[in-house]
Every structure is written in C-alpha cells, then in structure tokens.
Amino acid sequence: MKRLGFLLLLLTACTGSQEPPLPALLAAGGQDEVRFYRARDLQGGAAAPVGTWPAPGLQDLAYSNPSRRLYLLFSDRVEAYDAAGFTEASVPKGTPSVQAFPGGVDCTGGYLRLGQARLLAHCPGAGRAFLWSLDGGGSLEEADLTGLDPASRLALLPQGSLDLLAYLTRGVLGFRPAQGPQGSPSLEKPLSPPLDRAPFDLRADAAKGRLLGLGATATEARLYTLQGEALGSQKVLGDFFGTPHLTLDPVAGLAVYGRGFQALEPKASPVLEAYADFAAGLVGQDGYLYLASGSLLYVYDLVPSPPQRVATPSLGFAPKALAFLPVE
C-alpha cells in the first residue's frame, strides 16, 4: 500500500508554477561523476549539490520510480543503487548490485531505457543489448537484435506483462519480443518519409501505448508516432537542429531538444533558445523542463504556454545525462 500511495503521489504531483513544490532531486551525470541537486533549488537559480558520487567512465543514468533504484551505465557494466533512503538533504550511496557485460563488450556510447519490469542497456558500438531485472536481481540476459541495423535506436514498450523490444531504423518503426524476433506480439511500420541518416532517439510511452521516434530526412528533423496501427510524423525544431533527443514524462509532458528546444505536450510551443545547443534534457514529474547546455542548466516551467524560463543556474560541470528522483 505504501508503494501504491507513492505512485499515486507521482501522478498528482505536477506542480509547475504551483505550490508546494514536489520534493525531488535532479541527478546530473557527466565528466566522471554524478551530482545531485534539490529540484526546488534549481528552480530558484541555486545549484549547490546535495552530494557528489565519483563515476569514472559514466555513459548514462536512469531512475525507476517503481523499484526506487538509480542505474548507472559504464563501458563494462551496469550498477543499480537503492534510492529508497534518499532525501532532499542526503544521497547515501550504499553498495550497488553490479552486472558486468560479457567479455569483449564495450558499451562506450551506450544508453539505458526503462521498461515496466526490466532495464535495457544498448551498446550500439558493439551491436548488442542486454536486459536486467529492475529489482537488481538475477543476471543480464541478451536481447536478440537479429535483422536490426546496428545504428538502430532501441527502447522497451510495456504491453500486458511483457517488455517488448521497440526499434527505430532508417526505414521502419516497430516492436517485437525482446528475445524472440519471430514471436508475437509484433508490429512494424515503414517510415514516410524515410530517414536520411541514423535515427537519433526512441522513447516508449506506456501510459498511452505509443512509440515516439526521432530522426532526420535530408532537410528536417521529424518526430514519428506509432500508436495502435497508426503511424504519423511531424517536423520538429528548426532548420539547424543539431543532434536532437526526446524527453518524456507521461503526465508532465513531452519535449524535443538539440539546437534549441520545443515543447510538444501538454501544449505545443515554437522553437525556443534556438541558438543554444543542449546535450541533456529532462521533463520532470514536477512539471519543469531541465536542459543542460555546457555547465548551464536552463529551467523552464511547462505550465505557461509557451514555457517560461524561471532560472539558469551554473552547475560547475557539463552533464550529459539527467534523471529525476522524487523523494519522501
């Protein structure tokens, strides 16, 4: 019942410009460390970290609300930390659960994606991907990438009790069982128009049962949305879009960022900060959008339309990954 209550809190905790603020931490990873900041401090323009963890070789990080765990990806392993004891004032590190990649797998340039029961670690340079239980138990299991372009972007799409492997290539967007490419349920739709280069990003929105893929044609960045049997697409960002990525919270909203950013949900905005290059971004469950450009963190309130910038604190380092951690 305590976990159910916590999840219900998250679904009702979008505050944006409203009070009281949601007690939460922002984890920022990059330059061989992870720093933790109070979200409310960042919204006010302050950036004194609550704690700092050394993390040499960090590639990505992710946080799972249901499991209350923080996951760190390195070139040779994945670590899972119990975050149940985190507060706005303390981030005890504890002893992580650790899973090393099989010999010879280098996950430099890799990334993490969360499902409902499993974590996906995709190592594009090695052409391999691995699954791990979100509770940090058991061993890594390898996802079957048969037939997929090594440059594909991957995610996990919850469907029933399954975490399906979702994929975006230059030509198709689809999903299938993670360890049974010929199994069901599965669906694959051709992109129209197809991509001119390797895809940028793929996100699964379990709440709405959709996939959100990001790529570029010869002239523009496009967002592809697969929901049910229907595949749609739309232009996003401007003519000079950099290397764009998506950030999604199923309640608080959806945004795309690269060179500049654009809020897509709950209300669409024009391209903002068109001359800033953003390396990391996050829609928090508090209704704020956090965007990292070098050492600066742009904090936007998503409640107004268009979003309103409320602060631009300097973090003192340049993160490449962000995660939002509600605390009690």
Side-chain angles (χ1 to χ4, degrees), residues 118 155-159 162-166 175-178 184-186:
R118 297 199 284 184
L156 292 176
L157 175 65
Q159 192 171 107
L162 302 175
D163 279 323
L164 300 172
L165 182 70
F175 59 82
R176 68 193 195 191
S184 62
S186 64

Side-chain angles (χ1 to χ4, degrees), residues 48-103:
V50 173
T52 300
W53 293 1
L58 180 73
Q59 302 298 309
D60 196 11
L61 53 79
Y63 177 73
S64 167
N65 285 319
S67 72
R68 307 289 298 277
R69 281 177 170 78
L70 177 66
Y71 307 93
L72 305 184
L73 175 66
F74 299 88
S75 62
D76 62 346
R77 68 192 186 280
V78 186
E79 298 179 350
Y81 291 86
D82 185 352
F86 286 13
T87 69
E88 285 191 295
S90 175
V91 284
K93 190 172 184 180
T95 301
S97 300
V98 180
Q99 286 293 318
F101 295 122

Side-chain angles (χ1 to χ4, degrees), residues 97-172:
S97 300
V98 180
Q99 286 293 318
F101 295 122
V105 172
D106 183 350
C107 209
T108 300
Y111 58 90
L112 300 173
R113 291 292 181 268
L114 297 167
Q116 62 182 344
R118 297 199 284 184
L119 175 76
L120 174 74
H122 184 203
C123 308
R128 299 172 74 175
F130 300 90
L131 303 162
W132 192 19
S133 173
L134 286 180
D135 65 11
S139 301
L140 292 181
E141 298 180 8
E142 187 157 4
D144 192 331
L145 306 186
T146 300
L148 294 181
D149 188 314
S152 300
R153 299 293 293 192
L154 305 178
L156 292 176
L157 175 65
Q159 192 171 107
S161 61
L162 302 175
D163 279 323
L164 300 172
L165 182 70
Y167 54 90
L168 174 66
T169 72
R170 290 190 182 193
V172 300

Side-chain angles (χ1 to χ4, degrees), residues 186-205:
S186 64
L187 180 67
E188 185 174 283
K189 292 286 187 177
L191 301 184
S192 180
L195 303 181
D196 187 59
R197 65 195 80 171
F200 295 125
D201 204 358
L202 178 63
R203 300 284 173 166
D205 182 357

